[in-house]
Amino acid sequence: MAKEVADTNKDKDVVMADSTGSKAAKDPKDAKKDKKDVEDELSEEDAKLKDELDMLVTRLKESNATLYKSALESLRTLIRTSTSSMTSVPKPLKFLRPHYADIHAVYASWKDGENRAFLADIISVLAMSYDDGKRDSLRFRFYGAKEDVGSWGHEYVRHLTSELILEYNARTAGSEDDLQPADPPAKPFATTEELIRLALDIVPFCLKHNAEADACDLLLEMESLDKLPQFVDKDTYARVCLYIVSMVPYVAPPDDASILKTARAIYRAQNQYTQSILISLRINDLALVKEDYDSCTDPLVQKQLAFICARQQVFIETGSEEITEILNNTKLTENFMALARDLDVVEAKTPEDIYKSHLENTRTGANVDSARHNLASTFVNAFVNIGFGSDKLMMNAEEEGNSWIYKNKDTGMLSAAASLGAILLWDVEVGLTEIDKFLYSTDDHIKAGALLAIGLVSSGVRHESDPALGLLSEYVSSTTSILRVAAIIGLGIAYAGSARQEVQDLLLPLVSDTGLTMELSSLAALSLGLVYVGTSDGEIASTILQTLMERDDEALKNTYGRFMGVGLGLLFLGKQEASEATLETLKVIENPLAKMVGVIVEICSYIGTGNVLKIQSMLHLCNDHLDATKGEDGYQAFAVIGIALIAMGEDVGAEMAIRSFNHLMHYGEPVIRRAVPLALGILCASNPLVNILDILSKYSHDNDAEVALNAVFAMGLVGAGTNNARLAQLLRQLAAYYHKNPNVLFVVRIAQGLVHMGKGTVTLNPFHSNKMLLSPVSAAGLITVLTAFTDAKSFIVEKASAQYLLYFLIPATYPRFLMTLDESLKPLPVTVRVGQAVDTVGQAGRPKTITGFQTHSTPVLLAYSERAELATEEYIAVATTLEGFVILKKNPDWMDEDKKDGAK
């Protein structure tokens, strides 16, 4: 920057033009301009200063050594006391610039000593405005008297910092030749350790003067970020950590993990355990999570830590029954119902309340497939009344025949019975009582539905008696296929993310048994992937790989094979390089499925990282034009979805991904075009951005029926749980448009159910805690459903019989509320401001974190892009992120007078 400023002043500086014969002097026009500028600009005061500086330089050239010290001190005083604006060089530096070469020569002629070191300091400062690429500021800083680096001002420190980074990078790159100074140095130039020591001298100055970003960047470039915690105090830790954590998506592994560990060390040093446990969860290291919990001695903060872990579905052993209850999510249903009562949405809704068929401009003719229509209504009913414990189709049917179930056929009956699990979600005890009667049904489909319902009702909550394991384990080895399928999926959903050894013992033999159908083996692998999500479990991974090698080609062509790949991928969810050995093994297997599985494993490993190289490799895979008839192109659909999965959670990457999808839609093969809407759907799950809705609305009328079908489902995903009115209107129009196409109409109904999911109180987005954490269980559920839609004809529509796969959305479901609790964990209504979140990273001062806010009383709903903050200082939040369950404690400094003032 100093160089640029200096250059802009070149043509103004006639002294320099005269003494150095600069380029400006060669041009007659410039010479005239310089002459005119000098007459105008050099005021009496400036002329006096210039004469004084010239005289001081002349003294340094003389042989009388006694004058040196006083001349140097005068120079130092003049330089330090000068003021400058942002656009001009300080006058002493400007006037001394023509003398730069002379001062250099003087330095070379002097013998080592105090004066020579003093002069080196002054040359170091002058070099700011005379940057010739030799990094003189830095070099002479090391030859100098090592005065406090901040004594020469901010601009000098910034210039020194930039040269320090250049020098360090040049050394680590090994190009030593350009490091040699022009003059022979009196002592050797600094070692790398000395460079780092200088950087560590600069850091405290930056932190003290609100330049936290500069300090962090310097240490990151010098590969010494781990030394940052020792300089951070209670005043600077928040801004420093916010900045370095926001850098993580833009840094290549393994630096990203080291940045997170540095942030965690800073938070722990400041006793900010609610922040440090978020970092530990993001690193996905249970040992660090346990360490954070054990280090915390405040019982109230421990409860808040338990709420954070419960949201991420991470269980840690503690001696406290109360903490265990929080970790088990036992009270989730009770608090969700309190939210429903507060928002007055307790009353059950019927599918017709959602469809609003009277607004559709069609007469429903004889084309409506009633069983298909009823199946759609089953799902809509389940999604809309999710977690509310009551509905008007299933539970209020009284005795006269549980009639709704019998209005469905075959697997439709399974889905209908299973919908009870969604309606009674999180309420295990009441749920099991309601579901129990269906377990004694003589119809296998209804019985299977009851088994799946047991898994669904237990999703996201733990129960000390493990009812799901007790009830489902006996059916895993049943002779009836549909009961086995329901029991396997039920176990996967009930114990998602728990890494339960008992589930592995039950399901692993099914994966390796080549005598079983591919459907059963693949679903067993999928359930194991869900249960052991993100654990890199070697035994399960090797069993799945072994099965892929042993199965014959005919079995591997089965469309269910992709779920075996998803099961393998989920094991490595978010684990990055940990999956490399598995990927190498897959390359050896010569089968189209192995290539698809390889892509699935890779995208799962890098989910939410924003890794640009992986996104590029996925785009590269989309570049191949393959013969669809041979079934070799299946992996391309996952490559497209992979772009979205890797880019999600990082705004710049997500924006670039949307642009890439636009190109893929124009130029891609059919298999790629069909996957684009699904990718858009997961990229903006429960986040109905207007531009995305417009794109999907356009795709929903595509000539390719499968593109249209996937676009309609994606519209449901994008608006899931938001009650978005514009989207509801678009879907009603689509219902009218596709009223003669039962396949698309079925998916339109599902999408309508998703938009009104939980009557607008839940979210499917896997990100939470201020978008800092990705819930692995939530992501796993979404990936499974998208996998089903990569071949919708086989799983969801037409004569398909696997619609129950839609219930994998249930593990991804969570209330999108902020509920404030008092110290005894009872709901405590307080006023909060809810507004659009603002990115405050690196901003000066104390910027507002939300904009366009409204004030509400808790509990409140938070959209994907919204954030909340307490409206008064009456209470202090134990957590730093106001989301989910937040414990409040009374502010001891809060006075009644404040309340009175507020009332006035």
Side-chain angles (χ1 to χ4, degrees), residues 667-736:
Y667 308 113
E669 295 291 312
V671 66
I672 292 171
R673 296 184 75 247
R674 287 165 192 165
V676 167
L678 298 175
L680 285 168
I682 193 151
L683 194 62
C684 303
S686 294
N687 180 23
L689 300 172
V690 175
N691 60 323
I692 299 295
L693 292 184
D694 288 344
I695 293 168
L696 290 173
S697 179
K698 185 174 82 180
Y699 295 163
S700 67
H701 295 82
D702 197 90
N703 291 333
D704 184 334
E706 287 182 57
V707 172
L709 189 123
N710 287 350
V712 173
F713 179 69
M715 287 166 86
L717 270 186
V718 168
T722 61
N723 278 355
N724 188 289
R726 185 167 182 268
L727 187 49
Q729 173 66 18
L730 287 172
L731 288 170
R732 276 197 297 276
Q733 289 167 359
L734 284 170

Side-chain angles (χ1 to χ4, degrees), residues 478-486 517 519-520:
S478 164
T479 50
T480 312
S481 173
I482 194 71
L483 294 179
R484 292 182 90 170
V485 166
T517 63
E519 178 184 0
L520 280 170

Side-chain angles (χ1 to χ4, degrees), residues 823-888:
E823 296 182 34
S824 57
L825 305 186
K826 295 280 180 285
L828 173 68
V830 295
T831 50
V832 290
R833 290 191 283 262
V834 178
Q836 291 296 310
V838 177
D839 185 10
T840 58
V841 177
Q843 289 189 14
R846 292 187 179 169
K848 294 273 186 286
T849 53
I850 58 173
T851 180
F853 60 80
Q854 293 178 320
T855 306
H856 299 284
S857 178
T858 57
V860 293
L861 293 177
L862 297 176
Y864 175 75
S865 58
E866 286 179 337
R867 207 178 288 174
E869 58 182 36
L870 293 173
T872 67
E873 292 178 9
E874 185 177 356
Y875 292 95
I876 298 170
V878 175
T880 41
T881 308
L882 293 193
E883 200 176 297
F885 293 105
V886 176
I887 300 170
L888 303 180

Side-chain angles (χ1 to χ4, degrees), residues 729-800:
Q729 173 66 18
L730 287 172
L731 288 170
R732 276 197 297 276
Q733 289 167 359
L734 284 170
Y737 183 75
Y738 285 115
H739 75 281
K740 288 185 178 173
N741 183 332
N743 288 337
V744 183
L745 184 61
F746 175 75
V747 180
V748 171
R749 296 305 188 203
I750 300 290
Q752 286 178 307
L754 287 175
V755 171
H756 297 281
M757 199 171 190
K759 299 169 201 164
T761 59
V762 298
T763 180
L764 289 181
N765 199 291
F767 284 95
H768 61 93
S769 302
N770 224 342
K771 302 180 199 162
M772 187 170 175
L773 290 181
L774 173 97
S775 164
V777 173
S778 189
L782 288 168
I783 291 167
T784 306
V785 176
L786 290 189
T787 304
F789 272 90
T790 55
D791 187 2
K793 280 183 181 168
S794 300
F795 298 116
I796 307 295
V797 293
E798 291 196 1
K799 304 249 179 319

Side-chain angles (χ1 to χ4, degrees), residues 27-238:
D27 192 326
K29 284 183 188 173
D30 284 349
K32 281 179 195 170
K33 186 180 171 194
D34 285 347
K35 211 168 187 179
K36 186 170 180 291
D37 284 351
V38 168
E39 287 164 13
D40 291 347
E41 283 184 26
L42 275 187
S43 62
E44 192 178 333
E45 191 181 334
D46 288 353
K48 187 181 173 190
L49 174 64
K50 183 178 176 304
D51 292 344
E52 189 177 349
L53 290 167
D54 290 349
M55 183 262 293
L56 290 170
V57 172
T58 309
R59 275 190 188 166
L60 294 177
K61 292 179 187 171
E62 290 171 5
S63 55
N64 187 352
T66 54
L67 300 172
Y68 295 165
K69 185 81 181 280
S70 60
L72 289 169
E73 281 178 352
S74 300
L75 274 174
R76 177 172 66 183
T77 308
L78 287 168
I79 292 170
R80 282 190 183 171
T81 54
S82 69
T83 56
S84 68
S85 69
M86 287 293 285
T87 53
S88 67
V89 179
K91 288 205 165 65
L93 295 188
K94 182 176 167 183
F95 295 144
L96 284 170
R97 216 180 143 185
H99 300 294
Y100 185 72
D102 295 344
I103 296 172
H104 242 282
V106 168
Y107 176 80
S109 65
W110 284 4
K111 291 188 177 68
D112 279 350
E114 188 186 344
N115 287 346
R116 194 169 195 255
F118 200 159
L119 181 59
D121 276 339
I122 287 172
I123 295 175
S124 177
V125 178
L126 291 180
M128 281 199 302
S129 61
Y130 198 90
D131 190 352
D132 54 1
K134 292 180 183 171
R135 301 194 267 281
D136 279 352
S137 277
L138 181 64
R139 185 155 58 97
F140 282 96
R141 168 77 198 166
F142 280 107
Y143 298 158
K146 307 279 193 305
E147 286 189 41
D148 176 31
V149 72
S151 60
W152 296 101
H154 271 274
E155 198 54 49
Y156 174 66
V157 173
R158 289 181 63 180
H159 192 80
L160 203 57
T161 303
S162 64
E163 290 198 356
L164 197 51
I165 292 168
L166 288 169
E167 179 73 21
Y168 185 82
N169 288 343
R171 288 188 180 206
T172 48
S175 54
E176 291 289 331
D177 48 14
D178 69 340
L179 306 179
Q180 299 307 318
D183 303 326
K187 55 183 177 181
F189 195 24
T191 61
T192 307
E193 287 73 31
E194 285 177 313
L195 290 178
I196 291 172
R197 214 170 302 134
L198 175 59
L200 296 179
D201 287 343
I202 290 172
V203 168
F205 175 84
C206 291
L207 291 175
K208 189 177 169 189
H209 293 86
N210 300 322
E212 293 90 351
D214 293 351
C216 299
D217 289 344
L218 173 60
L219 287 181
L220 188 67
E221 291 283 354
M222 303 289 285
E223 297 172 342
S224 304
L225 196 67
D226 55 331
K227 297 185 172 67
L228 182 60
Q230 67 197 44
F231 300 109
V232 178
D233 59 19
K234 64 179 176 30
D235 299 319
T236 53
Y237 81 88

Side-chain angles (χ1 to χ4, degrees), residues 21 50 133 171 184-185 191 210 294 318 333 336 398 429 577 588 639 648 669 673 708 716 743 765 816 836 896:
K50 183 178 176 304
R171 288 188 180 206
T191 61
N210 300 322
D294 292 340
T318 65
T333 181
F336 182 60
E398 299 303 327
E429 282 168 12
E577 312 85 54
V588 179
M648 69 200 269
E669 295 291 312
R673 296 184 75 247
N743 288 337
N765 199 291
R816 55 186 186 97
Q836 291 296 310
D896 285 338

